[in-house]
Amino acid sequence: MGLKYPNVLTEELLMNVSGIEESSTYQLIINRGLVRGREEGREEGREVGREEGVVSEARRLVLRLGTKRLGTPNQATVEAIMAITSLETLELLAERLLEAETWAELMAVGE
């Protein structure tokens, strides 16, 4: 149950209605849309935050395990790892830690 009209027709109808923004029905519709938009925005923000957290933890783990296996990385290597935003790339580096003998060899993935 609801009124559905093409957007073009709706826009034409609303252009000819003065003061619609003050109507309680209009305000209710707008407020519901705002609430829904905020909820979707929050959820999207939480999802992005979780993804960033996972990537951050993967970076930390590559650096920690790499330091144990390969020694302290130089600043350029640390910066290169910190610049990686792909979880898949970090996972590949973590796997390669089992075989790499140097930081340079580890970072040469894909070159």
Side-chain angles (χ1 to χ4, degrees):
M1 177 176 148
L3 301 174
K4 294 188 179 202
Y5 297 105
N7 287 343
V8 174
L9 176 60
T10 304
E11 288 175 17
E12 278 184 38
L13 289 171
L14 291 178
M15 283 184 353
N16 296 321
V17 178
S18 62
I20 192 165
E21 287 88 5
E22 287 81 29
S23 101
S24 58
T25 303
Y26 180 85
Q27 289 299 316
L28 178 65
I29 292 168
I30 293 300
N31 287 333
R32 283 184 181 172
L34 289 172
V35 168
R36 185 178 301 146
R38 284 187 195 116
E39 289 171 357
E40 290 173 4
R42 281 189 202 108
E43 182 56 36
E44 185 177 323
R46 282 192 284 272
E47 186 176 318
V48 168
R50 282 190 293 269
E51 290 171 9
E52 288 175 357
V54 169
V55 168
S56 178
E57 184 62 21
R59 284 188 203 112
R60 188 189 70 75
L61 193 58
V62 167
L63 287 169
R64 182 174 170 200
L65 295 177
T67 298
K68 281 188 151 258
R69 174 145 167 71
L70 306 172
T72 303
N74 62 32
Q75 188 61 33
T77 299
V78 172
E79 289 173 7
I81 290 171
M82 295 307 289
I84 297 171
T85 58
S86 164
L87 181 59
E88 293 156 4
T89 300
L90 290 163
E91 289 172 340
L92 178 62
L93 287 176
E95 290 174 7
R96 297 239 327 125
L97 273 170
L98 300 172
E99 301 165 357
E101 298 295 327
T102 66
W103 281 104
E105 184 181 338
L106 177 69
M107 298 305 290
V109 172
E111 289 182 0

